Amino acid sequence: MSLHGTIRQPDPVAGARILGLGSSQPDRIVTNDELAQRVETNDEWIRSRVGIAERRFAGESDTVVSMGADAGSKALADAGLSPTDLDAVVVATCTMPNPIPNAAAQLADRIGVNGIGAMDVNTACAGFCYGTGLAADMIRCGTARHVLVVGSEKLSDWLDMDDRSTCIIFADGAGAAVLGPAESAEEVGVGPVAWGAAGDLVSTIGIDEKNYLRQEGQAVFRWATTKIAPIAMEALEKAGLSPADIDVLVPHQANLRIVEAIAKKLKQQGARDDLVIADDIVHSGNTSSASIPMAIDHMRGAGRVRSGDVALIVGFGAGLSYGGQVVVLP
């Protein structure tokens, strides 16, 4: 079999970069003391175990799509682009109430654009890293020029509020980034993704027969504290960098003790003492795929990071998918 003629291939670019960021959280703040009225716990116990002081729970009118659209619109405005500049939308989520229709198509329509590529990615807490990896490759190969990547979760829909092991941890929110082309190698701002999955551990976390999220907390904790630092190092190696080159560390905000363990191991490998470490979990809780972009946006708003900072992002969690990459902040 032979081809008659030549298949045209779009011209590739040097790589991708992040052009804008945005985030969105529901209004309702849920404190540890409020949860203690429902389950046997207290503020000190929650802070010492997971590092959370408060989290946000969505209202009835807040959805995965609505929160994601709000964050996505802010990211577009931050990038100086309009919805019609987009070629694709990637939504990372594991909490859509129904698998069909997908969140991405609904989100694109909600922000004012149709007729573009729209897909959901469900790798739970690693979703944003997977989404940016896919978007960067689309841009590099010429499939798309501008891609909106959104992590949005409404975990409160899946929580048993009488289960202390989950109701104190998880929360709701969305974060987003707009990726665009880097016309030269010097402008590349999204490194290669290092990713994988531990399918042999899927029994440690999942949805039960009552549609409640359950997890074996200690098993997940042990896995995360041993597996994620090597993935972070692999992402650095793929980007041709060392721990000393990183200005900001943004792990998925799963548990403050896990975040601190990852930071400690990176410092043992040569990360600088002035490394900025994301701790958004203290006031936002664990928002799965939304946690990394939301944390970066919050740190930027607080003046903790600057444009041009080199950030190492690492996602891990339910599924048990994981991924990491280096990005340059817009």
Side-chain angles (χ1 to χ4, degrees), residues 28-39 55 57:
R28 183 188 171 198
I29 298 174
V30 179
T31 65
N32 293 339
D33 289 336
E34 180 178 341
L35 293 178
Q37 297 174 20
R38 178 77 179 255
V39 296
R55 74 286 290 147
F57 279 1

Side-chain angles (χ1 to χ4, degrees), residues 53-265:
E54 60 187 25
R55 74 286 290 147
R56 303 288 185 100
F57 279 1
E60 290 186 6
S61 62
D62 299 312
T63 67
V64 170
V65 172
S66 69
M67 291 185 292
D70 186 31
S73 294
K74 291 175 181 176
L76 278 169
D78 189 49
L81 298 174
S82 69
T84 55
D85 292 315
L86 293 174
D87 301 299
V89 174
V90 178
V91 175
T93 186
C94 61
T95 54
M96 278 291 284
N98 296 296
I100 300 172
N102 71 10
Q106 297 177 71
L107 189 152
D109 178 68
R110 192 170 183 125
I111 65 174
V113 61
N114 280 293
I116 63 173
M119 74 176 91
D120 288 3
V121 174
N122 181 358
T123 53
C125 306
F128 185 73
C129 292
Y130 273 63
T132 53
L134 292 171
D137 284 348
M138 282 192 278
I139 292 166
R140 179 178 56 81
C141 294
T143 304
R145 184 168 178 84
H146 295 117
V147 182
L148 174 63
V149 180
V150 179
S152 185
E153 307 285 6
K154 191 179 179 182
L155 285 147
S156 61
D157 277 348
W158 303 84
L159 294 180
D160 176 357
M161 296 308 297
D162 294 315
D163 178 8
R164 184 179 68 171
S165 68
T166 56
C167 74
I168 66 170
I169 298 172
F170 296 102
D172 306 329
V178 177
L179 275 66
E183 304 295 353
S184 67
E186 290 73 22
E187 293 179 346
V188 172
V190 178
V193 64
W195 55 17
D200 55 321
L201 298 176
V202 295
S203 62
T204 61
I205 188 165
I207 304 298
D208 70 9
E209 67 280 358
K210 295 182 179 179
N211 284 335
Y212 287 140
L213 174 63
R214 306 293 186 189
Q215 71 169 353
E216 296 178 18
Q218 287 301 313
V220 174
F221 180 87
R222 288 192 298 270
W223 176 79
T225 53
T226 56
K227 182 65 178 178
I228 303 310
I231 291 300
M233 293 300 297
E234 182 182 343
L236 286 170
E237 182 179 355
K238 285 178 176 289
L241 300 173
S242 73
D245 296 314
I246 302 303
D247 302 304
V248 188
L249 171 65
V250 192
H252 159 53
Q253 301 293 284
N255 177 316
L256 190 59
R257 292 164 61 200
I258 294 176
V259 169
E260 291 172 344
I262 296 169
K264 181 178 179 180
K265 290 182 178 180

